[in-house]
Amino acid sequence: QVELVESGGGSVQAGGSLKLSCEASGYSIDSYRCLSWFRQAPGKEQEWVVIIDRNIDSNGRTTYAESVKGRFTISQAKNILYLQMNSLQPEDTAVYYCAGRPTPLNIGGSCAEQNRYDFWGRGAQVTVLS
């Protein structure tokens, strides 16, 4: 059974840091063609935060959303995906999800599109207090 399980959420003061983890089971995290963190803030649509694209021609490219660039860092160790979040701001408050797609994208597809993902974690709440 393939699972992605997030942990590490919580509440922090603005300017603080949190580190989220996403533990993969049932499928090697190295084999996902799209492996990403998304988030959904209250009353807003879900958005991608950082994407690892291992499809052909992407060469494992990592892309950060402009809103988190320079503050968030994605990393991986064994079968766990991490998201280090520094200089957190109230607008970073959201439920954070890790998501994975094991198969190659079809032509025209993008790892930024939520509907391309087959596996999702249940989410981790991050609350940043002002």
Side-chain angles (χ1 to χ4, degrees):
Q1 182 180 358
V2 177
E3 275 193 310
L4 297 170
V5 180
E6 302 97 338
S7 60
S11 296
V12 65
Q13 293 290 332
S17 299
L18 282 173
K19 187 172 185 177
L20 301 181
S21 301
C22 173
E23 184 166 5
S25 61
Y27 194 78
S28 171
I29 206 167
D30 289 323
S31 299
Y32 282 100
R33 296 303 187 103
C34 298
L35 186 61
S36 303
W37 287 95
F38 286 79
R39 69 184 180 185
Q40 187 163 20
K44 295 188 177 181
E45 292 189 355
Q46 193 177 63
E47 61 178 359
W48 65 270
V49 176
V50 55
I51 294 167
I52 299 175
D53 188 343
R54 301 189 181 117
N55 289 277
I56 291 175
D57 296 334
S58 296
N59 296 319
R61 180 174 58 233
T62 300
T63 305
Y64 293 89
E66 283 298 322
S67 59
V68 306
K69 198 175 291 185
R71 301 187 298 122
F72 289 16
T73 304
I74 196 169
S75 62
Q76 181 180 323
K78 296 185 179 180
N79 226 28
I80 302 174
L81 184 71
Y82 298 100
L83 183 65
Q84 176 67 46
M85 304 183 293
N86 298 329
S87 301
L88 282 162
Q89 300 302 316
E91 53 265 35
D92 295 316
T93 295
V95 178
Y96 285 72
Y97 301 89
C98 64
R101 177 189 172 96
T103 56
L105 286 169
N106 297 328
I107 294 174
S110 167
C111 290
E113 298 168 326
Q114 303 159 24
N115 61 1
R116 303 294 178 178
Y117 289 81
D118 301 292
F119 302 106
W120 291 83
R122 294 183 179 180
Q125 176 69 50
V126 171
T127 302
V128 185
L129 306 171
S130 56

